[in-house]
Structures are given as structure tokens and as C-alpha cells.
Amino acid sequence: MSDDVLRENTAKWYVIHTYSGHENKVKANMEAMVQNRHMEDVILDIQVPMEEYVEEKDGREKLKERKLFPSYVLVKMIMNDETWYLVRNTRGVTGFVGPGSKPVPLSDGEVLALGVADKKEFFGGFEVGESVKVKDGPFEDFVGVIDAMSYDKGKVDVIISMFGRDTKVELSFNQIVKI
């Protein structure tokens, strides 16, 4: 497994609380600090989730954006003392969301529900027709081809050759790796 894939798999999304109205400033400051300290390999993404809405004014409809979660910023990072310190000491940050001083990462379901990760990217960027190797479960070490994917279920259908016949098996995305 390459370093990029390993980093991507160990990094988690965390929620950071900020002063009201400082979300974009916090994002900009944090991105600058990450770049200055060459920490792009441990702090991978910083987002302020936005939603579009239509505002009607003077009989005209105008498409606008607003923050989905005011006073919160989402950060995808590998948690260690250095990254924790960088986030906590960014101007405008009041702290991580979690009990006490221990940040709690978002679950995979929460990340998908928030829409901060592209489903295709979230599940490893697999494509229908791509060859994969099963890394876990009863079909471990079998090689097959992706037949179908269900992002909502977190499942993938893989055609593997067993006893000279093609057999479709349903697996989780975390049970397969690209060849």
C-alpha cells in the first residue's frame, strides 16, 4: 500500500468549534499554517460545509450560500501532538468537539451524511470493471472484477472465479484493494 493511500486511510474527520463568524478565517489561517509548516501529509483537508438556498427579493430569485453548521469547521487529519497543537493554537479556534480534551473523530456514517467526502473518493475510488484483490473474509486472496457498487450500503459486487466458474460475491469496500 502506498504512503498516500495509507495516510488517506488513517486520517479521520474532526469537528472544530470556532468563534461565530470566524469559520472562513480559521480555515484560511489553518491552511496557511499547514503550508508554512509543511504538514500537508498529516492535515489533508479543511472544510466549512455550505448549503445553497434561493432567496427571493423584489420578485427576483437569487441563489445564495450559507454555512451549514455556524461556528464549526471540519478537518481531515492524522491526530498526533503536532496536529492537535496546530489546530488548538489557530486564532479563532475554541477547541475540538469531544469530551474533555480528547477529540473524537466522526464516524464514516457521519462523514457521508455531512457530505464532506465524495462517496466515490470515500470508498477508495473504485470503478466498475476494475480488478481487485479480496484482503479479508472467506474469499481472502481471491482476485476478481467489480461488477456493481452500492455506496449507500457500503457494498460492492465482485465477480471471482471459483472452481472454474464465475461467482458474484457481495463484499464491503474495506474488504478489497486495487491490484
Side-chain angles (χ1 to χ4, degrees), residues 106 142 154:
L106 294 172
F142 277 85

Side-chain angles (χ1 to χ4, degrees), residues 138-151:
F139 302 104
E140 187 174 352
D141 293 331
F142 277 85
V143 174
V145 176
I146 295 176
D147 184 51
M149 295 183 281
S150 172
Y151 294 123

